Amino acid sequence: MNRSLLDPFRNNFPEIVEESLDYGAATTFAFNRRGTFLATGLTDGRCVIWDFDTRGIAKELIPKELSTAPANTYVGVTSVSWSRSSRKLLAASYDGQLRLFDVLGGEVERQIVFERPLMSVQMHPKLDDWCIVLPFKDLPPMLVNLTTAARSPLPSPESEQDERDDAPAKKGQQASVLVVVFGHRGERILSGSSKGLVTIIATQSLQVLHHFRIPGNSAVRNIVFTSNHKQMLINCTDRIRLYDDADWSTAQPETQIKFRAEFFDPVNKMSWKKCCFSSDNEYVIGGSAQKSHHIYVWAKDGGQLQKVLEGPKDAINDLMWHPMRPIIVSLAARDGSVFIWASNYAENWSAFAPDFTELEENVEYIEREDEFDEVDEELTHKRKREEEDELVDIEETTDCGGHTCFSDESDEEDRFFIPVVIPKDADVAL
């Protein structure tokens, strides 16, 4: 992309709802690594893959056993996660089913049944055979091998903390894990509990590397990283906190997480449903957990509130920033509509003709003395030919800055596209 074509005065965050994706009642969504596809999970157990460039449906994933499910059974998808190559999609549902779809073929490759409904799932950033699963209620989060269906429960952080403090947990006060995510390159796992304890676990050995507690013991709702994995956001009950992420491969047991900033609404004192970074890591957004569809945009450096985006009259169920572009996607809680937020582009005709001047009212024009004089056509054609003979570089690309989600990757696999399938009776419709 040519840097000179970018408007330096335009905001790098969305401002208006550009479009909505309405197909069934969505409960969750996720972008693939490049942001070319958006996967949504529906209340009836289906998964729909949208081509984000055309905003059309590229694939619909329907498990065969849904047709035989009892009528009173809720099989809604609670979480979806892409593989690194975007060729696999992992979906967790409320009926305890964990399904691994082949995106191109549309079939279920693996299926694992759990005893409890599943709250969230995330595939390993590097390995397609591993994932972490967070069930509801009393089951601990697990590291699952999708090939062998082996399950390895993650260590319970609250019980270990109570043993260190010589204060055994009382009955009914045991904390539950609310969020579990992979860290950088999948080498570690981070979990957050309802009592504000964040635990860092080694993925290979499942040993606790470090743990720290959020001030006020606020419940941890979600944890997200910047694209370069140097900082992380922790969404608590009352505010969003920014921390520096450490290199746990060389960290010592006494290593401390450095606190950077916090983001909150000092007036309304509202809590936050979701939070995430912008694609260029310059902004932090938070979706209100109230009934209003409000998205707050802060500058990451300094913490100033930049704008409050007001959407439809429906609560926010999920929120995500596009991995590469200044686009926000939000999910309505009531009807499951997916709203796409984009920048408000104003018509600027001077961008096409530098000598064009926009007039707000009529003005008197005084022509130049030589404006309508005869011009030598031969000289004019000669000048145009010289300009056309200049070489234009169409191969070299210029870094526009900010998009560093692939900067730490040494292997760039081929881009994955879903081919368009034309129905057999398409010629009849034409």
Side-chain angles (χ1 to χ4, degrees):
M1 182 181 293
N2 194 337
R3 185 189 297 269
S4 61
L5 296 179
L6 300 179
D7 185 1
F9 301 103
R10 180 173 58 86
N11 292 328
N12 291 328
F13 56 84
E15 296 175 317
I16 59 173
V17 175
E18 181 185 59
E19 191 178 353
S20 65
L21 306 178
D22 299 313
Y23 186 81
T27 56
T28 183
F29 54 59
F31 278 109
N32 67 336
R33 197 167 64 98
R34 297 184 182 274
T36 54
F37 297 115
L38 177 69
T40 60
L42 308 183
T43 55
D44 56 5
R46 294 176 298 164
C47 293
V48 178
I49 299 178
W50 297 83
D51 187 326
F52 205 73
D53 292 330
T54 63
R55 310 291 166 85
I57 297 177
K59 200 76 174 181
E60 187 174 359
L61 307 177
I62 307 176
K64 296 181 179 179
E65 62 272 12
L66 290 183
S67 58
T68 60
N72 58 348
T73 303
Y74 180 71
V75 294
V77 178
T78 56
S79 179
V80 291
S81 178
W82 290 88
S83 66
R84 175 181 172 82
S85 63
S86 301
R87 298 178 181 272
K88 310 293 180 184
L89 182 69
L90 190 61
S93 58
Y94 194 80
D95 59 351
Q97 301 284 341
L98 183 65
R99 300 181 179 92
L100 180 65
F101 289 95
D102 175 30
V103 174
L104 190 60
E107 299 178 351
V108 177
E109 285 193 353
R110 303 279 191 278
Q111 185 168 350
I112 303 176
V113 182
F114 289 80
E115 297 78 12
R116 295 286 190 276
L118 302 181
M119 182 185 303
S120 67
V121 65
Q122 184 184 5
M123 294 194 71
H124 194 281
K126 292 286 188 179
L127 307 175
D128 293 350
D129 294 337
W130 293 92
C131 71
I132 47 177
V133 177
L134 178 60
F136 279 97
K137 297 184 179 180
D138 54 347
L139 287 182
M142 307 176 187
L143 180 66
V144 180
N145 188 312
L146 296 174
T147 303
T148 63
R151 312 175 189 180
S152 303
L154 301 184
S156 176
E158 288 291 346
S159 59
E160 293 186 4
Q161 178 71 7
D162 292 337
E163 291 177 1
R164 292 190 185 96
D165 297 341
D166 295 331
K170 297 181 181 180
K171 186 176 181 180
Q173 295 184 355
Q174 181 68 24
S176 58
V177 177
L178 300 181
V179 59
V180 56
V181 296
F182 276 112
H184 185 38
R185 297 181 182 273
E187 297 174 353
R188 62 189 187 278
I189 300 173
L190 283 80
S191 66
S193 73
S194 58
K195 290 187 177 180
L197 187 66
V198 178
T199 307
I200 297 95
I201 304 169
T203 304
Q204 187 173 4
S205 62
L206 295 184
Q207 298 295 321
V208 177
L209 301 176
H210 189 70
H211 61 83
F212 63 96
R213 192 174 292 276
I214 300 297
N217 298 340
S218 301
V220 179
R221 294 189 174 184
N222 66 310
I223 302 174
V224 292
F225 294 90
T226 55
S227 56
N228 54 16
H229 286 264
K230 292 183 178 180
Q231 292 179 314
M232 63 179 175
L233 283 178
I234 298 180
N235 179 16
C236 307
T237 303
D238 55 343
R239 60 196 63 205
I240 301 171
R241 291 179 168 87
L242 176 65
Y243 292 88
D244 283 344
D245 194 18
D247 184 8
W248 296 105
S249 60
T250 59
Q252 302 297 325
E254 62 273 8
T255 301
Q256 298 295 325
I257 302 292
K258 187 173 182 179
F259 172 77
R260 282 294 182 182
E262 59 183 12
F263 311 93
F264 59 96
D265 184 2
V267 178
N268 300 319
K269 307 290 185 181
M270 63 176 56
S271 57
W272 309 101
K273 182 70 175 180
K274 290 283 186 176
C275 68
C276 63
F277 290 99
S278 62
S279 56
D280 56 4
N281 300 327
E282 293 184 2
Y283 299 99
V284 171
I285 62 172
S288 170
Q290 311 300 328
K291 295 182 179 180
S292 58
H293 202 105
H294 290 177
I295 301 175
Y296 286 65
V297 182
W298 296 277
K300 190 193 71 172
D301 298 331
Q304 294 87 1
L305 180 64
Q306 301 294 313
K307 195 176 183 62
V308 179
L309 308 179
E310 298 183 2
K313 296 181 180 179
D314 196 354
I316 295 177
N317 194 37
D318 207 345
L319 183 68
M320 186 172 292
W321 195 296
H322 191 277
M324 299 290 290
R325 294 150 61 183
I327 295 177
I328 296 175
V329 178
S330 62
L331 178 62
R334 184 174 63 247
D335 58 359
S337 298
V338 178
F339 296 99
I340 301 175
W341 299 75
S343 299
N344 187 13
Y345 294 100
E347 293 184 353
N348 184 12
W349 296 102
S350 59
F352 302 96
D355 57 346
F356 181 84
T357 304
E358 297 183 10
L359 301 178
E360 297 183 359
E361 58 182 7
N362 294 334
V363 297
E364 183 180 356
Y365 178 72
I366 302 176
E367 65 184 50
R368 301 189 309 271
E369 183 178 354
D370 59 345
E371 185 171 1
F372 297 102
D373 293 348
E374 293 184 1
V375 181
D376 191 348
E377 295 183 0
E378 184 177 351
L379 294 176
T380 304
H381 290 306
K382 183 179 179 181
R383 185 173 62 252
K384 289 183 178 180
R385 285 195 301 269
E386 292 176 354
E387 294 177 353
E388 292 175 356
D389 290 340
E390 293 181 2
L391 295 177
V392 179
D393 187 3
I394 61 174
E395 296 181 354
E396 184 179 356
T397 59
T398 304
D399 182 18
C400 295
H403 306 302
T404 57
C405 59
F406 308 123
S407 61
D408 61 341
E409 308 297 343
S410 58
D411 53 333
E412 287 290 333
E413 73 281 353
D414 295 335
R415 296 195 179 191
F416 174 67
F417 297 96
I418 300 178
V420 177
V421 179
I422 302 177
K424 294 181 180 180
D425 55 348
D427 53 346
V428 179
L430 296 175

